[in-house]
Amino acid sequence: MSDSLYTAFAAPNFDANEYANAILAGEPFPPPQPSSSGDARPSGIKISKQASTLSSLSEPAKEDISVAISKLTVGIDDVSKQLKNVTTYEGPHAVHRSWRTRDASSHVSNALPTLSAAQHALLSSQRRLEGQIAELARVSASESIGLSDKWTGEEGEEKRESWKDNYVVGSEGLLFSTLLLSLHPQAKMHLVKVDEDSETSEILFVQFVPSLVTFPPSRPARSKITSEMEMMVVTGLATLNRSLLASSLQTSHNLRVLPNLVQFLLSDLTDSVDQRIRTTFDISRISKEVNAKDSAPASHGLLYRSRVRTEPTNVTAPQWTAALWSRLEGLIEELADCCIKVYTLEKVLQLKKDTVTQTNFMDEAMKVLENKPSATFWTVLARTLERQCKDAARSSTFMQQTLMHTDTIYTQERQSPETILILRALSVFEQSYLQRSANRLNEVVAQSVAGGARSPPAMGEGIGIARTAANELDSAKFDPLLVKAVAKNVQTSLELLLTRLEPLVVRDRWATSLLGPVSTPQQAQNAQVATCLYHCATRLSTLEGEYSESVTAILQPSIKEIRRSYDRIVDPLLVAIRRELGAIVGKLRKLDLGKAPDASAGMGGPSTYMKDLVDKLTFIKTEVLAKFNVGDAARVWVSTIVKNVIRSFVLNASIAKPLGEGGKLQLTGDMTEMEFALGAFMVEGGSQSKRGFKLDVIGDDYRALRAMRPLLFLDNSMLASPENTLGLPPLIVLHHILVRSPLPLPHSLHGWSESEYVRWVDEHSEEEALTLVDGVLTHWEKVHDSPTELDTSREYLDLARIVLANAKRRST
């Protein structure tokens, strides 16, 4: 269609009614006008020119009326589309330009009075300055007035020195005074001290009153600097230019707006993320996008437009699905871009410091931020994504079927082919992540053993290793396959730890020596290494309930190996403690316990072996066990040591032969002293309160010790009564019966020493020990079959048989 048709409608005197009547009547439009002379000539020229340029106006009269109406309709539609496009794309810019024009005009209007006043003040200052200069020239030519006559002597010299800092000297001072007076006419000026020797007077210094001198406001400059800084920040984030971003942040820090700027940038990025996620899952926008692509442009006539659909039909379902995935793809790209910008901003804030105050920019920004920028970004992303997914799934069946119904399988046991393809594509990034994870684990292990034997790892290093391993596993917890790979890294790092700790463990005799009075350096070194292993294994053991069985199966061998290494350090020391205390308790067999009581001596003190036992328990507690910081394990050690001491004392006291009344009293005193020593040994922190409660937790062994005291003073007939020997093992009762009788003890019959018999009882079960005693009774009856010998031992044989029968009955 020619441009002349559009020109007709653009004519200033166009009338739609006249045009329609002319078309219906078959007449040209506009109608020709007669030319005139004189003043009407320009108008006639104008119309003739217009008629010549719009030659096509008469063409519609020659055409069919339906064709003309169709052309008119098409033209109207075309003009409407052009107007709509101009309004859509140019409208916001026009509004923005109008606002800027209005703001500029407002600023100019506000500035006009100020500029007029400044011009008037400048002219007044110029006239006043010209008058002052003329007056100064006149005075200088007629009379020389100075201060040298007034300021003489020391006082004058002091005044001259005190004024030097307040004056501008020479001709430069005059120029500076002129400049200041031109800027501020109210500034006071004092011209003093002329040269008396020269024919022409010269101003030497000028005094100003600074409080009256003001300079133009710096707000326009600050606004310009702030605007440039904001543009630099935006450019730095857009191009990921860290240098430019650091410079702009330094400028914002100098302007004291750094926290607010970071908060604004973070808010802008999170708002864009929120808005982009909303737009992606907006089902109405998806419907409009699909409809816009499917609708063909109509050449003429009116089209029926249906309402916006929220669900696709069977025909449009593929288009809807393609549109949704296209939106999701764009969303991922934009989210990745925002994420990179956030991390770039956070990295620059962490590294950048003020050049003067050395203030870290991240610390400065955290004054107004609730959390780090990255944490805030992911929080907003997760919250918005979760909310929009829920809303979309609840309001649209199409969203549910497209996003939630899938055949993709990704578990530890099985993965679908699609998943395997994706995993292979991302294997490079996975290997890079695993390598960095392994480096972090190995770095912690290396730092823990860096001190060597001089500073072996202790509790802090063990907890640090376990915490690093737990953090790495927790970071990969979301991925069932990645967490298994990280678990293998943890296993490798723990094996490395054991390899590095093995040379630090001392296994010579000084590691188990208990000579005292202080622990050996080897024991202290082993204690630190054992403490490290204990806390590392204890912390890792708590992870079993947090992860699947496959991950736990990977970690278990390493944890068990750590515990075995810990036991290999601790067990030899505990065995040495048991042997040392057992040897001290065994010294009671060397005492003469068959003596009669000495009434003149009264209640004697504890035996020598008991004093040694008390001293050794104190040494073990304060010098040996105190080096280990192993929590509950130390309490178990203490309980085990106390049980062994009580069991050894009761067993050795039960086979002490001969035993007289004086010996019984001596054993009773030793029992009391041992209870006090063991109670102090068990109490933590040196407090001896609740001593009885602490020993009660020992159980049967402590009850046997308490029952041993009355056993020594029971009549023979009461020895076989279970009520009178409650709490005592049958073997102890049998030993005491044999001690009172002429029958030999088991070790005497077999030719063993007391220490060998005690060791044999510790290594064998109670049933085997009772069988050994029963053999002693049988052997006695066979060897001593005369009536006289049997009469003297019959009572003890019967008592022993009753105790054995009760023991067998109790076991069955």
Side-chain angles (χ1 to χ4, degrees):
M1 187 176 293
S2 62
D3 294 338
S4 60
L5 180 61
Y6 298 105
T7 308
F9 296 112
N13 58 349
F14 175 77
D15 189 350
N17 294 326
E18 293 181 0
Y19 178 77
N21 293 332
I23 293 300
L24 293 175
E27 297 177 356
F29 181 84
Q33 296 180 4
S35 60
S36 59
S37 60
D39 297 337
R41 187 177 185 87
S43 176
I45 295 174
K46 180 177 181 181
I47 294 174
S48 63
K49 289 182 179 180
Q50 183 179 8
S52 64
T53 57
L54 303 178
S55 59
S56 62
L57 291 176
S58 60
E59 294 179 0
K62 300 177 182 179
E63 298 176 354
D64 187 76
I65 186 172
S66 61
V67 176
I69 294 176
S70 176
K71 290 182 179 180
L72 179 62
T73 303
V74 172
I76 292 174
D77 290 341
D78 195 6
V79 172
S80 300
K81 288 183 180 180
Q82 293 183 10
L83 290 176
K84 183 177 180 180
N85 291 335
V86 170
T87 305
T88 302
Y89 294 105
E90 299 296 332
H93 298 288
V95 173
H96 181 65
R97 286 194 295 269
S98 65
W99 278 101
R100 291 183 58 183
T101 305
R102 190 182 67 177
D103 293 342
S105 62
S106 177
H107 288 308
V108 171
S109 301
N110 295 333
L112 284 177
T114 304
L115 293 175
S116 300
Q119 183 181 7
H120 179 72
L122 183 61
L123 294 175
S124 302
S125 300
Q126 181 180 1
R127 288 192 295 269
R128 188 183 302 106
L129 183 60
E130 291 175 353
Q132 291 177 354
I133 293 175
E135 181 66 20
L136 180 61
R138 184 184 62 80
V139 172
S140 300
S142 61
E143 184 178 3
S144 296
I145 302 175
L147 295 179
S148 58
D149 295 336
K150 298 181 181 179
W151 291 354
T152 59
E154 295 181 357
E155 180 181 1
E157 186 66 25
E158 292 176 359
K159 290 184 178 181
R160 289 189 186 94
E161 292 297 329
S162 64
W163 277 53
K164 284 182 180 180
D165 296 334
N166 299 325
Y167 298 117
V168 181
V169 180
S171 59
E172 291 83 3
L174 181 60
L175 294 175
F176 188 62
S177 66
T178 305
L179 176 61
L180 287 179
L181 285 172
S182 65
L183 293 175
H184 200 291
Q186 297 179 355
K188 294 183 179 179
M189 178 180 68
H190 299 278
L191 303 177
V192 295
K193 186 67 179 73
V194 296
D195 191 358
E196 297 176 352
D197 299 333
S198 61
E199 296 180 357
T200 60
S201 300
E202 181 182 0
I203 301 174
L204 296 182
F205 45 83
V206 184
Q207 180 191 16
F208 299 97
V209 183
S211 61
L212 296 178
V213 179
T214 60
F215 295 94
S218 61
R219 181 172 299 176
R222 180 183 178 90
S223 300
K224 183 177 180 180
I225 294 174
T226 303
S227 178
E228 294 292 336
M229 178 268 296
E230 291 176 353
M231 292 179 62
M232 290 173 62
V233 169
V234 174
T235 305
L237 285 178
T239 59
L240 301 180
N241 189 336
R242 294 189 178 185
S243 300
L244 182 61
L245 189 59
S247 301
S248 59
L249 292 178
Q250 178 66 57
T251 305
S252 66
H253 177 73
N254 297 338
L255 295 174
R256 303 183 185 277
V257 295
L258 176 62
N260 295 331
L261 175 65
V262 175
Q263 187 180 30
F264 170 77
L265 291 175
L266 188 60
S267 176
D268 184 64
L269 290 173
T270 53
D271 289 345
S272 64
V273 168
D274 183 87
Q275 183 62 30
R276 188 65 180 88
I277 294 175
R278 291 173 183 271
T279 304
T280 301
F281 289 94
D282 191 348
I283 196 68
S284 61
R285 290 177 178 267
I286 297 176
S287 177
K288 291 180 180 179
E289 179 181 347
V290 174
N291 293 336
K293 293 180 180 180
D294 293 342
S295 60
S299 59
H300 61 292
L302 298 177
L303 295 178
Y304 170 74
R305 298 182 180 273
S306 63
R307 61 182 178 84
V308 177
R309 291 180 175 271
T310 58
E311 295 293 336
T313 62
N314 295 332
V315 178
T316 60
Q319 291 85 346
W320 282 57
T321 303
L324 176 60
W325 287 113
S326 176
R327 284 170 165 267
L328 290 175
E329 183 179 358
L331 174 65
I332 296 300
E333 293 179 357
E334 294 188 11
L335 292 181
D337 184 59
C338 289
C339 182
I340 294 173
K341 291 179 180 179
V342 170
Y343 274 100
T344 302
L345 176 63
E346 182 174 321
K347 193 67 174 180
V348 173
L349 289 174
Q350 290 176 345
L351 298 178
K352 182 64 178 176
K353 294 182 179 180
D354 184 59
T355 56
V356 179
T357 63
Q358 295 299 314
T359 302
N360 185 265
F361 283 8
M362 176 60 76
D363 297 337
E364 189 72 15
M366 290 303 294
K367 293 180 180 179
V368 296
L369 298 179
E370 296 181 358
N371 207 337
K372 294 194 304 182
S374 59
T376 303
F377 170 79
W378 287 113
T379 301
V380 173
L381 173 61
R383 183 174 60 248
T384 306
L385 192 60
E386 180 182 7
R387 183 175 61 252
Q388 293 301 318
C389 288
K390 288 182 179 180
D391 294 343
R394 185 168 50 250
S395 60
S396 175
T397 308
F398 165 73
M399 287 289 189
Q400 294 180 1
Q401 295 176 349
T402 305
L403 299 180
M404 300 180 185
H405 294 174
T406 176
D407 295 331
T408 303
I409 300 175
Y410 185 44
T411 62
Q412 292 182 353
E413 294 77 16
R414 183 168 177 265
Q415 299 86 38
S416 60
E418 301 89 350
T419 306
I420 295 176
L421 292 175
I422 295 298
L423 291 177
R424 290 177 179 176
L426 300 178
S427 60
V428 176
F429 301 101
E430 181 181 3
Q431 293 299 325
S432 177
Y433 176 83
L434 292 175
Q435 183 62 40
R436 290 198 301 270
S437 176
N439 292 339
R440 287 191 291 267
L441 291 168
N442 295 335
E443 183 180 358
V444 173
V445 173
Q447 291 177 355
S448 300
V449 298
R454 293 186 177 182
S455 179
M459 181 180 67
E461 287 76 7
I463 295 176
I465 294 171
R467 182 185 296 115
T468 303
N471 291 340
E472 294 297 328
L473 290 171
D474 186 69
S475 299
K477 192 175 183 179
F478 68 95
D479 192 323
L481 296 183
L482 182 62
V483 71
K484 291 179 64 177
V486 174
K488 293 180 181 179
N489 283 347
V490 173
Q491 181 185 20
T492 304
S493 65
L494 294 179
E495 293 175 355
L496 175 63
L497 173 65
L498 293 175
T499 304
R500 301 289 297 274
L501 289 182
E502 186 63 26
L504 302 180
V505 180
V506 182
R507 304 190 186 280
D508 57 17
R509 65 185 185 89
W510 294 109
T512 57
S513 175
L514 299 174
L515 296 178
V518 295
S519 61
T520 62
Q522 292 81 357
Q523 290 173 352
Q525 180 174 332
N526 285 354
Q528 285 187 294
V529 176
T531 300
C532 175
L533 293 173
Y534 171 82
H535 285 282
C536 182
T538 302
R539 178 66 181 88
L540 291 175
S541 298
T542 60
L543 301 177
E544 295 181 2
E546 300 180 9
Y547 297 93
S548 61
E549 295 181 358
S550 58
V551 176
T552 305
I554 296 174
L555 299 176
Q556 275 299 323
S558 299
I559 298 175
K560 290 181 179 179
E561 186 61 31
I562 291 176
R563 291 193 180 277
R564 283 194 289 267
S565 299
Y566 164 78
D567 292 336
R568 287 195 294 268
I569 298 173
V570 173
D571 289 346
L573 181 61
L574 295 179
V575 171
I577 292 174
R578 179 179 179 180
R579 290 177 178 175
E580 182 71 17
L581 296 178
I584 295 175
V585 173
K587 294 179 181 180
L588 72 86
R589 300 188 301 269
K590 298 180 180 180
L591 298 178
D592 184 11
L593 299 177
K595 61 183 179 180
D598 187 0
S600 61
M603 294 296 295
S607 303
T608 304
Y609 79 91
M610 188 54 62
K611 294 180 181 179
D612 294 342
L613 179 63
V614 173
D615 294 340
K616 190 62 66 175
L617 287 173
T618 303
F619 164 72
I620 292 172
K621 177 183 178 181
T622 58
E623 292 294 332
V624 179
L625 299 184
K627 303 297 182 182
F628 293 85
N629 188 358
V630 292
D632 294 336
R635 300 184 184 93
V636 176
W637 296 349
V638 170
S639 299
T640 304
I641 293 172
V642 171
K643 288 181 180 180
N644 292 333
V645 171
I646 293 176
R647 190 180 300 116
S648 178
F649 177 83
V650 172
L651 182 58
N652 282 277
S654 66
I655 62 174
K657 188 178 183 179
L659 182 63
E661 295 298 325
K664 294 178 181 180
L665 294 176
Q666 185 65 45
L667 289 177
T668 302
D670 292 343
M671 291 180 194
T672 303
E673 185 67 20
M674 188 173 66
E675 285 191 46
F676 278 103
L678 294 178
F681 182 75
M682 291 193 66
V683 173
E684 299 178 1
S687 174
Q688 296 188 9
S689 61
K690 302 181 181 179
R691 183 182 65 255
F693 172 77
K694 287 292 184 180
L695 288 177
D696 285 337
V697 301
I698 300 302
D700 295 338
D701 294 310
Y702 179 64
R703 284 190 289 270
L705 177 64
R706 297 296 301 269
M708 187 67 182
R709 187 180 289 109
L711 176 68
L712 299 175
F713 302 98
L714 288 177
D715 295 336
N716 291 340
S717 60
M718 303 174 64
L719 293 177
S721 174
E723 291 80 8
N724 296 323
T725 59
L726 183 65
L728 284 168
L731 182 62
I732 302 301
V733 178
L734 290 172
H735 284 168
H736 190 64
I737 293 174
L738 296 179
V739 167
R740 292 188 180 190
S741 70
L743 279 72
L745 289 166
H747 64 275
S748 299
L749 179 63
H750 294 83
W752 301 341
S753 64
E754 289 88 348
S755 59
E756 291 176 340
Y757 178 66
V758 170
R759 191 180 308 114
W760 186 91
V761 172
D762 289 338
E763 296 174 355
H764 294 76
S765 64
E766 185 179 11
E767 289 76 11
E768 293 175 330
L770 293 177
T771 303
L772 187 64
V773 174
D774 188 31
V776 172
L777 299 179
T778 304
H779 180 270
W780 178 266
E781 291 176 344
K782 289 181 180 180
V783 174
H784 302 83
D785 53 354
S786 61
T788 304
E789 294 178 348
L790 288 177
D791 290 341
T792 57
S793 61
R794 176 57 59 187
E795 178 184 6
Y796 301 104
L797 289 172
D798 293 341
L799 291 174
R801 294 293 184 187
I802 294 173
V803 173
L804 286 172
N806 292 335
K808 292 180 180 179
R809 190 182 307 112
R810 190 183 306 113
S811 62
T812 57

